[in-house]
Amino acid sequence: QVQLVESGGGLVQAGGSLRLSCAASGLTFRNYVMGWFRQAPGKERELVASISGGSARTYYADSVKGRFTVSRDNAKNTVYLQMNGLKSEDTAVYYCAASSRWYNPLYDYWGQGTQVTVSS
């Protein structure tokens, strides 16, 4: 079965950096768009960044542009989210997810999430 496993979350001071990883198994990884979502307490889940199967296309939410970078290594079936210049408002549970299409994506598979806490 498909498994997405996130890692790399933790507690960091404002202005610091974290790198999240999401290891995928059970799917042809290069055929999937990978997205990073986050959900803060009391807020709706939001798409933070996504990357197409061949890395040609990326998307970033306005709130993270210039600070976060999404990348992937198809040889390792892993997608990354490099987060720099972290702010307290970045505190959330971060999830990776997989979609079989870029346009009108439908994320069929989800990881269990990893907590990111930014202290001010």
Side-chain angles (χ1 to χ4, degrees), residues 55-105:
S55 302
R57 287 173 289 193
T58 56
Y59 162 84
Y60 295 95
D62 287 343
S63 57
V64 306
K65 278 181 183 176
R67 300 188 298 122
F68 290 11
T69 303
V70 61
S71 62
R72 65 192 294 161
D73 184 338
N74 286 346
K76 295 182 178 180
N77 285 5
T78 301
V79 62
Y80 306 97
L81 186 68
Q82 177 67 44
M83 305 186 295
N84 298 329
L86 283 162
K87 306 175 181 179
S88 57
E89 52 261 45
D90 295 317
T91 295
V93 178
Y94 284 71
Y95 301 88
C96 68
S99 168
S100 59
R101 61 194 192 212
W102 177 262
Y103 296 105
N104 297 316

Side-chain angles (χ1 to χ4, degrees), residues 3-66:
Q3 280 194 313
L4 303 178
V5 180
E6 301 97 336
S7 60
L11 174 64
V12 64
Q13 289 188 333
S17 298
L18 282 175
R19 187 196 197 202
L20 305 184
S21 300
C22 171
S25 60
L27 75 171
T28 306
F29 184 69
R30 66 182 180 274
N31 290 348
Y32 282 82
V33 174
M34 297 301 297
W36 283 100
F37 290 78
R38 68 185 181 187
Q39 187 164 24
K43 294 189 176 181
E44 293 189 356
R45 184 175 59 196
E46 64 170 335
L47 176 62
V48 173
S50 61
I51 185 167
S52 60
S55 302
R57 287 173 289 193
T58 56
Y59 162 84
Y60 295 95
D62 287 343
S63 57
V64 306
K65 278 181 183 176

